[in-house]
Amino acid sequence: MWRLNVSEPSTDSRIVELRDGIVRIGRHADNGIILQDVSASRFHAEVVLDSKQNHVLLTDLNSTNGTYVNRQRVNGSVNLNSNDIIRIGQAVIHLIDESEIKLSGQPQTSTHRFTRELLLESLDEHAVLLYEISKRLNTIVNIEEAIQEVSGMMKRTMSIENCQIVHHRDFHRISQILPVPSALNAIRTRSAEVTPTAMFVPVISGEDEMLGLMYFAKSRPGTRPFSRRDLQLAIAISHQVALTIQRMELMEKLRQQENIQKLLTRFVPPEEAAELIADYERTGQLPGLRQAKVSILFSDIAGSTSLAEHIGAQRFAEILNRYYQDTTSIIFKHHGTVRYLGDGIMAIFEDRKQNTVLAEERAVQAGIEILRKIGNIHFDDANDVIIGVAIHTGPAMVGYIGSNERMEFNALGDTVNVSFRMQELARPNRLVIGPATMAAIVDKYQTRRIGAVSLKGREKPIQVYEVINLSD
């Protein structure tokens, strides 16, 4: 018995059993398989089964956007084999020969190591569905909602009854949530565990950090067992879930950083902290703008528009997410405050009574570590990722600004503008500083004088220096 497993991002997965004769595929209601995707033609393609010869033939009906079998566009007709993948727009149709499954017997439990090769293979097989999922997840701002969205999509796509995602914070009670010992083994070995009716797939970040565990189960009698393709789909989705969890946790870390560390250690003396916290809890108001001496650090990815065009939006988003993660971690380490600016970041450093290291020195050390970190990352298809770091020290207005619905910490003034304009001198992969920053670190780092530079929007030129021998 031959059948087609039809998956579209917007509808439930469905099974169509083939019988002798013709089954047409397209958007028109008279088709045997009706697709929702606007990329499909009204009568797009047809499948013919000859059961006596055990032969399946696919014909493209001169469709506008083409019919693809195993990534190859069909010209006219082509013979199909079991496990071939037909793609029409965003619809993916998997051809299955049930007689082969029955002859091979019921599969047993298997373990699959979570290797880079398996991940790349899985991403390649399901690029269309991943695009749709990533588009939806990028609009979600909390982990619970993201988990619900992924679970719902996986149930529809895989035609399963149960899909759960367990966050790593709940691993301590995993035995209360998922069947054991398969779940525990998947966590312990960081491998996918597959049985005929269940799959356990780890959610692992690009830094090899275990972020969660995905569980898929079938309970209806007579349902076909999980296949290699199901495993590939689950692994591809787990990668997208990992990126989403990382983004959510970074946002949570930023919120905690702003609400606790900044409030207690960056703006007020310790003796005022209790009074300020009590006032904040009562009014919900954060400190307003005030004047302070700060060191402003700017860093961005050069040529981000052309880079995104070259490697694609999804890949660029992954690189930008990694860049945000690494730079944020470094800036927090040196007690700076972060703001995201499209394809770059701004960091604000102030002198603190609790820290004897000057703000200028902490900013320079953070800049050096950012250049080292990003320079040592191998981005595969984006080896031309170029950044620069500029730091300028001076007076600025700093504090929380915005409405009650959206508050953020910011710095305003000429010091900020100068640091931003100095970025143009910092590429490729250089660290440039202004005169006040230079005066504070002159005996601590090797530097060279670039000279007086005219910056856009300023009448007077500014002396600019470069910190050299960054690898020392």
Side-chain angles (χ1 to χ4, degrees):
M1 179 190 300
W2 292 83
R3 68 181 186 179
L4 297 172
N5 188 345
V6 184
S7 298
E8 292 185 89
S10 58
T11 62
D12 291 346
S13 175
R14 56 197 188 275
I15 301 294
V16 178
E17 294 186 0
L18 293 180
R19 304 184 184 279
D20 280 323
I22 298 174
V23 176
R24 288 192 173 87
I25 307 170
R27 285 189 294 110
H28 197 278
D30 290 339
N31 288 287
I33 298 176
I34 303 171
L35 301 180
Q36 304 297 320
D37 194 335
V38 295
S39 300
S41 298
R42 295 172 71 250
F43 296 96
H44 197 104
E46 66 180 24
V47 175
V48 180
L49 170 64
D50 182 347
S51 60
K52 292 182 179 179
Q53 301 293 326
N54 199 31
H55 178 265
V56 182
L57 182 73
L58 171 72
T59 302
D60 180 81
L61 302 177
N62 296 318
S63 62
T64 302
N65 296 311
T67 304
Y68 294 80
V69 175
N70 302 328
R71 302 189 197 88
Q72 299 295 319
R73 184 162 183 166
V74 174
N75 292 317
S77 301
V78 62
N79 293 321
L80 297 179
N81 299 305
S82 182
N83 291 318
D84 279 348
I85 304 298
I86 305 165
R87 183 176 67 79
I88 297 174
Q90 294 190 56
V92 177
I93 304 173
H94 184 199
L95 178 64
I96 303 168
D97 183 359
E98 290 292 331
S99 62
E100 288 188 2
I101 297 176
K102 292 178 181 179
L103 288 172
S104 63
Q106 190 80 337
Q108 303 301 311
T109 301
S110 58
T111 300
H112 302 264
R113 294 292 299 171
F114 213 88
T115 63
R116 176 181 172 83
E117 289 71 27
L118 179 58
L119 174 60
L120 293 176
E121 173 188 318
S122 302
L123 294 174
D124 189 45
E125 282 288 334
H126 299 279
V128 175
L129 181 61
L130 281 177
Y131 170 77
E132 185 67 23
I133 290 178
S134 65
K135 187 169 64 174
R136 297 188 188 188
L137 290 181
N138 283 340
T139 64
I140 296 175
V141 296
N142 67 75
I143 292 178
E144 291 73 20
E145 186 180 348
I147 287 174
Q148 291 179 2
E149 180 70 22
V150 172
S151 297
M153 293 187 70
M154 293 302 289
K155 288 179 182 178
R156 294 193 301 270
T157 303
M158 300 179 72
S159 189
I160 57 177
E161 295 76 52
N162 194 353
C163 174
Q164 296 184 56
I165 303 173
V166 181
H167 193 266
H168 64 88
R169 293 173 184 168
D170 295 322
F171 279 177
H172 67 282
R173 58 185 189 93
I174 192 73
S175 60
Q176 304 170 24
I177 305 173
L178 300 180
V180 292
S182 295
L184 292 174
N185 194 51
I187 294 173
R188 180 178 59 82
T189 63
R190 306 164 74 87
S191 301
E193 295 285 320
V194 184
T195 74
T197 59
M199 284 195 301
F200 301 83
V201 178
V203 178
I204 299 178
S205 72
E207 294 75 37
D208 205 33
E209 180 185 0
M210 190 82 165
L211 300 177
L213 183 69
M214 300 179 69
Y215 169 65
F216 309 89
K218 299 182 177 184
S219 57
R220 287 196 297 263
T223 303
R224 70 179 180 86
F226 281 115
S227 65
R228 171 79 175 186
R229 177 170 172 77
D230 293 327
L231 174 62
Q232 290 175 333
L233 175 58
I235 289 174
I237 298 303
S238 77
H239 177 68
Q240 193 64 49
V241 172
L243 293 175
T244 301
I245 290 177
Q246 284 183 304
R247 179 166 63 87
M248 302 300 178
E249 290 185 345
L250 183 59
M251 291 172 63
E252 182 180 344
K253 186 176 182 180
L254 284 170
R255 285 193 292 267
Q256 292 174 346
Q257 177 73 7
E258 288 185 345
N259 292 336
I260 300 174
Q261 284 186 293
K262 290 178 184 176
L263 191 62
L264 292 176
T265 64
R266 291 197 168 100
F267 307 123
V268 298
E271 59 270 21
E272 296 179 18
E275 181 181 347
L276 181 57
I277 291 174
D279 187 62
Y280 173 73
E281 291 176 346
R282 184 176 67 256
T283 66
Q285 298 295 319
L286 293 169
L289 290 174
R290 58 186 171 78
Q291 185 167 338
K293 190 194 81 167
V294 294
S295 291
I296 303 293
L297 179 152
F298 273 101
S299 175
D300 71 347
I301 298 176
S304 57
T305 302
S306 60
L307 179 60
E309 181 181 12
H310 172 65
I311 64 176
Q314 180 175 342
R315 178 68 179 126
F316 179 73
E318 293 176 3
I319 291 174
L320 191 60
N321 184 62
R322 176 70 185 274
Y323 168 75
Y324 280 161
Q325 235 182 330
D326 290 340
T327 54
T328 299
S329 176
I330 292 169
I331 290 165
F332 283 171
K333 171 185 170 183
H334 293 284
H335 308 288
T337 304
V338 178
R339 281 202 65 207
Y340 295 144
L341 306 169
D343 60 354
I345 55 102
M346 178 179 78
I348 305 165
F349 295 85
E350 291 187 76
D351 286 331
R352 302 169 55 199
K353 291 182 179 179
Q354 297 85 356
N355 196 318
T356 58
V357 182
L358 293 175
E360 295 91 334
E361 186 175 350
R362 286 188 279 114
V364 170
Q365 187 59 42
I368 292 173
E369 292 183 22
I370 288 171
L371 289 170
R372 286 178 183 167
K373 182 71 173 180
I374 303 302
N376 289 330
I377 297 175
H378 182 58
F379 285 108
D380 294 332
D381 51 352
N383 289 324
D384 53 346
V385 171
I386 295 172
I387 68 168
V389 176
I391 301 171
H392 186 56
T393 301
M397 297 299 295
V398 296
Y400 283 92
I401 59 174
S403 65
N404 289 334
E405 291 76 24
R406 181 178 175 82
M407 297 287 288
E408 62 180 2
F409 188 74
N410 207 346
L412 306 171
D414 184 59
T415 300
V416 180
N417 297 333
V418 170
S419 181
F420 178 76
R421 294 300 179 190
M422 283 169 54
Q423 280 185 106
E424 300 173 4
L425 307 173
R427 302 163 186 149
N429 304 316
R430 300 167 67 193
L431 171 55
V432 298
I433 59 177
T437 310
M438 175 65 181
I441 60 97
V442 64
D443 58 342
K444 297 180 176 65
Y445 298 92
Q446 296 186 52
T447 60
R448 73 176 182 89
R449 181 174 177 272
I450 294 176
V453 177
S454 297
L455 301 177
K456 184 177 180 180
R458 295 190 94 245
E459 294 182 3
K460 296 181 180 180
I462 185 172
Q463 292 290 334
V464 179
Y465 304 82
E466 179 182 4
V467 180
I468 58 176
N469 295 332
L470 302 182
S471 61
D472 292 344

XYZ file of all heavy atoms in Angstrom, residues 318-377:
487
model
N 21.034 34.389 13.194
C 21.790 33.514 14.091
C 23.130 34.152 14.463
O 23.551 34.105 15.629
C 22.027 32.161 13.413
C 20.755 31.352 13.204
C 21.016 30.066 12.443
O 22.199 29.782 12.127
O 20.047 29.346 12.132
N 23.806 34.752 13.469
C 25.097 35.402 13.731
C 24.903 36.603 14.654
O 25.670 36.814 15.607
C 25.757 35.827 12.401
C 26.201 34.585 11.621
C 26.951 36.759 12.645
C 26.728 34.885 10.246
N 23.857 37.395 14.399
C 23.596 38.579 15.223
C 23.258 38.161 16.646
O 23.705 38.805 17.613
C 22.446 39.385 14.625
C 22.207 40.780 15.220
C 23.428 41.654 15.061
C 20.988 41.435 14.577
N 22.519 37.072 16.804
C 22.175 36.575 18.132
C 23.437 36.159 18.886
O 23.596 36.451 20.076
C 21.216 35.390 18.002
C 20.733 34.894 19.351
O 20.091 35.621 20.091
N 21.049 33.658 19.675
N 24.361 35.471 18.198
C 25.623 35.066 18.818
C 26.458 36.300 19.199
O 27.060 36.350 20.274
C 26.400 34.169 17.843
C 27.794 33.749 18.317
C 27.734 32.768 19.471
N 29.041 32.467 19.991
C 29.837 31.516 19.493
N 29.444 30.778 18.465
N 31.011 31.276 20.036
N 26.475 37.287 18.314
C 27.217 38.521 18.570
C 26.660 39.234 19.805
O 27.415 39.666 20.691
C 27.120 39.405 17.321
C 27.589 40.831 17.492
C 28.950 41.130 17.563
C 26.674 41.873 17.551
C 29.378 42.444 17.709
C 27.092 43.181 17.692
C 28.436 43.459 17.769
O 28.854 44.756 17.909
N 25.325 39.356 19.882
C 24.695 39.972 21.047
C 25.056 39.217 22.323
O 25.370 39.811 23.355
C 23.169 39.964 20.883
C 22.617 41.055 20.001
C 21.342 40.946 19.462
C 23.342 42.195 19.710
C 20.802 41.937 18.667
C 22.816 43.191 18.908
C 21.540 43.052 18.388
O 21.012 44.040 17.606
N 24.966 37.881 22.256
C 25.212 37.063 23.431
C 26.630 37.262 23.964
O 26.849 37.482 25.161
C 25.006 35.591 23.061
C 24.024 34.895 23.952
C 23.882 33.442 23.580
O 24.037 33.054 22.439
N 23.613 32.631 24.557
N 27.611 37.151 23.065
C 29.008 37.227 23.483
C 29.373 38.616 23.990
O 30.037 38.769 25.018
C 29.924 36.823 22.321
C 29.837 35.341 22.004
O 29.397 34.578 22.881
O 30.197 34.943 20.883
N 28.958 39.660 23.258
C 29.303 41.025 23.682
C 28.610 41.380 24.998
O 29.204 42.023 25.864
C 28.932 42.047 22.598
O 27.548 41.896 22.250
C 29.779 41.864 21.354
N 27.360 40.963 25.158
C 26.637 41.247 26.397
C 27.321 40.600 27.595
O 27.485 41.219 28.651
C 25.184 40.754 26.292
O 24.533 41.444 25.227
C 24.438 41.003 27.590
N 27.718 39.343 27.424
C 28.397 38.631 28.512
C 29.677 39.352 28.931
O 29.965 39.503 30.120
C 28.708 37.197 28.065
O 29.438 36.516 29.056
N 30.441 39.828 27.952
C 31.704 40.519 28.244
C 31.438 41.858 28.936
O 32.108 42.224 29.914
C 32.515 40.715 26.952
C 33.011 39.351 26.433
C 33.692 41.658 27.178
C 33.591 39.406 25.040
N 30.474 42.600 28.449
C 30.175 43.916 29.023
C 29.666 43.772 30.456
O 30.059 44.521 31.359
C 29.167 44.668 28.137
C 29.855 45.071 26.819
C 28.629 45.906 28.851
C 28.900 45.477 25.735
N 28.780 42.789 30.688
C 28.315 42.551 32.052
C 29.466 42.173 32.970
O 29.505 42.564 34.143
C 27.274 41.436 32.060
C 25.906 41.877 31.582
C 24.914 40.937 31.352
C 25.616 43.199 31.376
C 23.664 41.327 30.926
C 24.375 43.612 30.944
C 23.393 42.661 30.724
N 30.412 41.398 32.437
C 31.567 40.980 33.229
C 32.344 42.184 33.743
O 32.871 42.175 34.863
C 32.469 40.087 32.370
C 33.821 39.746 32.981
C 34.649 38.953 31.977
C 36.090 38.794 32.450
N 36.914 38.097 31.442
N 32.416 43.250 32.926
C 33.165 44.454 33.307
C 32.230 45.555 33.820
O 32.591 46.734 33.788
C 33.987 44.932 32.119
C 35.090 43.982 31.733
N 36.249 43.868 32.453
C 35.175 43.074 30.730
C 37.024 42.952 31.901
N 36.397 42.441 30.858
N 31.047 45.150 34.273
C 30.117 46.047 34.965
C 29.678 47.226 34.095
O 29.598 48.365 34.560
C 30.740 46.564 36.264
C 31.260 45.467 37.142
N 30.427 44.610 37.836
C 32.532 45.049 37.405
C 31.164 43.735 38.500
N 32.439 43.969 38.261
N 29.394 46.916 32.831
C 28.827 47.914 31.933
C 27.352 47.646 31.701
O 26.817 46.616 32.079
N 26.685 48.607 31.092
C 25.269 48.508 30.763
C 25.119 48.440 29.252
O 25.821 49.146 28.527
C 24.504 49.730 31.303
O 24.742 49.827 32.707
C 23.024 49.618 31.052
N 24.183 47.607 28.767
C 24.079 47.327 27.339
C 22.810 47.901 26.745
O 21.743 47.846 27.364
C 24.112 45.803 27.079
C 23.943 45.505 25.590
C 25.406 45.209 27.592
N 22.932 48.438 25.524
C 21.780 48.767 24.683
C 22.027 48.182 23.301
O 23.112 48.304 22.750
C 21.602 50.281 24.554
C 20.945 50.963 25.728
C 20.338 52.288 25.290
N 19.248 52.092 24.350
C 18.876 52.986 23.426
N 19.519 54.131 23.308
N 17.872 52.742 22.622
N 20.986 47.532 22.734
C 21.088 46.966 21.387
C 20.648 48.002 20.367
O 19.633 48.675 20.538
C 20.222 45.721 21.258
C 20.665 44.578 22.133
C 19.744 43.727 22.730
C 22.009 44.350 22.367
C 20.150 42.684 23.537
C 22.426 43.315 23.171
C 21.497 42.486 23.757
O 21.910 41.450 24.552
N 21.420 48.114 19.297
C 21.163 49.138 18.284
C 21.165 48.496 16.892
O 22.090 48.683 16.109
C 22.222 50.243 18.346
C 22.429 50.914 19.700
C 23.669 51.786 19.685
C 21.203 51.745 20.056
N 20.149 47.709 16.573
C 20.083 47.090 15.254
C 21.157 46.042 15.083
O 21.054 44.935 15.595
N 22.230 46.377 14.358
C 23.326 45.430 14.138
C 24.521 45.736 15.034
O 25.630 45.289 14.768
C 23.759 45.448 12.675
C 24.244 46.823 12.232
O 24.124 47.777 13.032
O 24.724 46.945 11.099
N 24.309 46.494 16.115
C 25.416 46.829 17.001
C 24.948 47.001 18.441
O 23.789 46.773 18.770
N 25.900 47.412 19.292
C 25.593 47.618 20.710
C 26.243 48.901 21.192
O 27.261 49.351 20.652
C 26.055 46.427 21.583
C 27.563 46.144 21.378
C 25.248 45.187 21.298
C 28.435 46.656 22.458
N 25.638 49.492 22.225
C 26.245 50.605 22.952
C 26.372 50.163 24.395
O 25.422 49.600 24.964
C 25.401 51.872 22.875
C 26.005 53.046 23.668
S 25.049 54.578 23.572
C 23.718 54.234 24.736
N 27.537 50.383 24.997
C 27.762 50.041 26.403
C 28.146 51.304 27.159
O 28.887 52.153 26.640
C 28.845 48.982 26.542
N 27.648 51.423 28.373
C 27.885 52.594 29.206
C 28.635 52.149 30.465
O 28.169 51.260 31.187
C 26.553 53.270 29.597
C 25.741 53.594 28.336
C 26.798 54.522 30.434
C 24.290 53.920 28.614
N 29.792 52.771 30.717
C 30.609 52.445 31.890
C 30.736 53.684 32.767
O 31.041 54.772 32.274
C 32.003 51.974 31.465
C 32.010 50.681 30.697
C 31.803 50.678 29.324
C 32.208 49.465 31.343
C 31.804 49.489 28.605
C 32.211 48.276 30.640
C 32.011 48.282 29.270
N 30.508 53.505 34.061
C 30.658 54.591 35.034
C 31.611 54.156 36.139
O 31.748 52.968 36.428
C 29.307 54.933 35.665
C 28.318 55.592 34.750
C 27.082 56.041 35.518
O 27.170 57.079 36.228
O 26.056 55.358 35.444
N 32.277 55.129 36.764
C 33.071 54.825 37.959
C 32.129 54.429 39.093
O 31.037 54.992 39.241
C 33.889 56.056 38.378
C 35.072 56.289 37.457
O 35.585 55.298 36.901
O 35.455 57.454 37.275
N 32.575 53.444 39.868
C 31.742 52.925 40.955
C 32.565 52.861 42.235
O 33.736 52.482 42.210
C 31.235 51.520 40.611
C 30.438 51.443 39.338
C 30.217 49.980 38.940
N 29.605 49.232 40.034
C 29.627 47.913 40.115
N 30.263 47.210 39.205
N 29.052 47.298 41.127
N 31.932 53.214 43.343
C 32.632 53.146 44.627
C 32.998 51.708 44.970
O 33.988 51.453 45.646
C 31.761 53.743 45.735
C 31.573 55.247 45.633
C 30.751 55.770 46.794
C 30.585 57.280 46.711
N 29.774 57.801 47.829
N 32.169 50.747 44.508
C 32.431 49.346 44.829
C 33.515 48.736 43.950
O 33.892 47.590 44.138
C 31.136 48.524 44.661
C 30.016 48.927 45.606
C 29.195 50.090 45.054
O 29.504 50.650 44.012
N 28.153 50.452 45.792
N 34.008 49.488 42.957
C 34.988 48.948 42.018
C 36.136 49.941 41.880
O 35.936 51.087 41.473
C 34.335 48.698 40.650
C 35.180 47.791 39.780
O 36.395 47.925 39.724
N 34.524 46.863 39.091
N 37.343 49.509 42.227
C 38.494 50.410 42.179
C 39.038 50.595 40.771
O 39.863 51.481 40.540
C 39.620 49.871 43.080
O 39.983 48.548 42.640
C 39.174 49.818 44.530
N 38.613 49.765 39.805
C 39.074 49.888 38.420
C 38.284 50.999 37.739
O 37.052 51.012 37.764
C 38.902 48.565 37.657
C 39.432 48.709 36.234
C 39.614 47.440 38.386
N 38.992 51.933 37.108
C 38.346 53.057 36.452
C 37.433 52.586 35.329
O 37.672 51.556 34.694
C 39.390 54.017 35.891
C 40.251 54.771 36.909
C 41.311 55.594 36.189
C 39.394 55.646 37.812
N 36.379 53.385 35.063
C 35.441 53.049 33.989
C 36.158 52.981 32.648
O 35.862 52.120 31.809
C 34.322 54.087 33.949
N 37.137 53.901 32.421
C 37.858 53.899 31.148
C 38.601 52.580 30.934
O 38.581 52.011 29.835
C 38.863 55.054 31.103
C 38.238 56.437 31.112
C 38.073 56.992 32.522
O 37.959 56.191 33.475
O 38.079 58.226 32.665
N 39.244 52.090 31.983
C 40.010 50.853 31.851
C 39.078 49.658 31.656
O 39.376 48.756 30.861
C 40.882 50.640 33.085
C 41.825 49.456 32.954
C 42.767 49.318 34.128
O 42.807 50.253 34.957
O 43.439 48.285 34.217
N 37.950 49.630 32.367
C 37.006 48.530 32.187
C 36.421 48.535 30.777
O 36.217 47.484 30.165
C 35.898 48.626 33.237
C 36.364 48.225 34.620
C 35.205 48.147 35.610
N 34.841 49.479 36.113
C 33.689 50.082 35.870
N 32.786 49.476 35.127
N 33.439 51.276 36.379
N 36.163 49.724 30.236
C 35.627 49.820 28.876
C 36.644 49.318 27.853
O 36.305 48.581 26.926
C 35.229 51.265 28.569
N 37.913 49.714 28.013
C 38.953 49.275 27.076
C 39.144 47.761 27.159
O 39.265 47.080 26.141
C 40.278 50.014 27.359
C 41.427 49.389 26.572
C 40.136 51.492 26.999
N 39.183 47.225 28.377
C 39.353 45.781 28.518
C 38.175 45.031 27.882
O 38.360 44.000 27.234
C 39.463 45.403 29.999
C 39.817 43.941 30.233
C 41.129 43.540 29.591
O 42.103 44.283 29.636
N 41.155 42.361 28.969
N 36.960 45.560 28.053
C 35.794 44.945 27.416
C 35.922 44.994 25.896
O 35.621 44.015 25.204
C 34.513 45.642 27.863
N 36.378 46.137 25.355
C 36.566 46.258 23.908
C 37.565 45.255 23.373
O 37.366 44.645 22.314
N 38.678 45.084 24.092
C 39.700 44.106 23.677
C 39.108 42.695 23.657
O 39.305 41.933 22.699
C 40.913 44.174 24.626
C 41.657 45.504 24.445
C 41.864 42.994 24.377
C 42.758 45.736 25.462
N 38.379 42.342 24.702
C 37.815 40.993 24.780
C 36.750 40.764 23.714
O 36.616 39.654 23.187
C 37.243 40.750 26.179
C 38.322 40.674 27.243
C 37.755 40.362 28.624
O 36.642 39.812 28.701
O 38.424 40.680 29.631
N 35.989 41.785 23.376
C 34.995 41.650 22.305
C 35.683 41.348 20.977
O 35.274 40.461 20.221
C 34.139 42.927 22.202
C 33.186 43.017 23.396
C 33.356 42.964 20.897
C 32.445 44.329 23.507
N 36.738 42.113 20.658
C 37.459 41.879 19.403
C 38.091 40.495 19.374
O 38.079 39.815 18.348
C 38.522 42.963 19.212
C 37.997 44.364 18.884
C 39.112 45.390 18.962
C 37.369 44.375 17.484
N 38.651 40.074 20.494
C 39.239 38.731 20.548
C 38.166 37.664 20.346
O 38.339 36.727 19.571
C 39.918 38.521 21.900
C 41.239 39.247 22.079
C 41.750 38.986 23.488
N 42.991 39.691 23.781
C 43.497 39.824 25.001
N 42.858 39.297 26.033
N 44.634 40.460 25.188
N 37.049 37.808 21.068
C 36.004 36.791 21.029
C 35.404 36.651 19.637
O 35.322 35.553 19.092
C 34.909 37.159 22.031
C 33.766 36.148 22.131
C 34.212 34.885 22.810
C 33.051 33.953 23.065
N 33.457 32.713 23.728
N 34.985 37.751 19.046
C 34.355 37.696 17.729
C 35.367 37.273 16.673
O 35.052 36.535 15.744
C 33.734 39.061 17.372
C 32.722 39.485 18.446
C 33.056 38.992 16.013
C 31.601 38.511 18.676
N 36.617 37.718 16.826
C 37.652 37.355 15.851
C 37.987 35.879 15.855
O 38.473 35.343 14.847
N 37.741 35.192 16.978
C 38.075 33.768 17.084
C 36.911 32.852 16.734
O 37.054 31.635 16.772
C 38.560 33.440 18.504
C 39.940 34.034 18.777
O 40.748 34.185 17.871
N 40.192 34.381 20.021
N 35.750 33.424 16.413
C 34.593 32.593 16.062
C 34.644 32.254 14.578
O 34.863 33.122 13.737
C 33.274 33.324 16.386
C 33.157 33.583 17.892
C 32.077 32.497 15.906
C 31.954 34.396 18.268
